[in-house]
Amino acid sequence: LAKLQTLAIGRGRLRSLQGIDHMPELQTVSIGDLRSFDSIDEIYRLKSIRRIWLNDLPRLNGTLELRRFDGLESVNVVNTPLLTDLADIGIHQNLEVVWLNGPAANLDWDELLAIESLRKVGIVDVDADDLPINELAERTGRNIESSKVVGPKTRRQIQLNLG
C-alpha cells in the first residue's frame, strides 16, 4: 500500500479514510456512491494528493480546505453537501479542473481565472446570470472558449472552458 498512487472506492460501507496516512505516495482519491461515508479529515495528512474526486456522498459534511494541499491539479465535488473552501486558490498553479456541484466558500473569480493551467470550471450556486464573463476574461487575460449557465433558477451552475 505504501506505493499506491490512486485510490478509487465506489459503493460499500466505508465511512472514512482512516489509515490513508500509510499511503504516502497517493496522488488521486476518487470516492463515490458511499451512503455512510462521513469524514475526509484523514486526507489532510497527505501532501502528495493531486486529484480529488468526491461524488454522491450524502453524509459528507464539513469543509474541504483546498489550501491545505500542495500541487493540486483537479478537484471535483459532485452531489455532496461538503463545503469546498476556495480561499487562496491561486497557490495551485497546476490546477486544471475545478468542478463543484455543491456549496463553495471564498470564491474569488479573479484569483481562480488567473491560474494559467486552469481549463475547466463548473461552480453551482453562484449568481451565474449576473457574472460578467467578458469583463473577467479581459481583467485576467484569459481566453474563455465557451461559457454556459445550466440548471434551475434555484441552483444555477456556471460552466467555463478556458483556452
Side-chain angles (χ1 to χ4, degrees), residues 37-50:
F37 194 82
D38 62 7
S39 176
I40 59 162
D41 292 342
E42 293 87 357
I43 200 170
Y44 297 121
R45 294 182 184 165
L46 298 178
K47 296 297 181 194
S48 58
I49 299 294
R50 301 285 177 258

Side-chain angles (χ1 to χ4, degrees), residues 40 44 52 54 60-67 69 72 74-87 89 92 95 97-108 112 122-124:
I40 59 162
Y44 297 121
I52 300 171
L54 305 171
L60 185 56
N61 290 296
T63 303
L64 177 62
E65 298 175 55
L66 300 184
R67 68 175 159 251
F69 299 98
L72 199 58
S74 70
V75 59
N76 295 272
V77 180
V78 178
N79 297 331
T80 299
L82 183 71
L83 175 70
T84 303
D85 187 350
L86 298 167
I89 194 70
H92 298 293
L95 192 62
V97 176
V98 174
W99 204 262
L100 306 176
N101 188 357
N106 300 310
L107 172 59
D108 179 333
L112 182 63
I123 298 183
V124 79

Side-chain angles (χ1 to χ4, degrees), residues 102-146:
N106 300 310
L107 172 59
D108 179 333
W109 281 102
D110 289 295
E111 184 180 17
L112 182 63
L113 295 182
I115 301 171
E116 291 182 21
S117 59
L118 193 64
R119 297 290 171 249
K120 282 191 172 294
V121 177
I123 298 183
V124 79
D125 288 344
V126 296
D127 272 335
D129 294 320
D130 298 326
L131 188 66
I133 293 171
N134 292 332
E135 183 183 318
L136 274 171
E138 188 174 311
R139 243 187 0 247
T140 59
R142 291 305 303 266
N143 175 28
I144 298 178
E145 294 176 352
S146 67

Side-chain angles (χ1 to χ4, degrees), residues 23-28 46-51 70-71:
M23 303 173 196
E25 294 186 27
L26 193 63
Q27 294 182 9
T28 302
L46 298 178
K47 296 297 181 194
S48 58
I49 299 294
R50 301 285 177 258
R51 291 166 293 281
D70 298 329

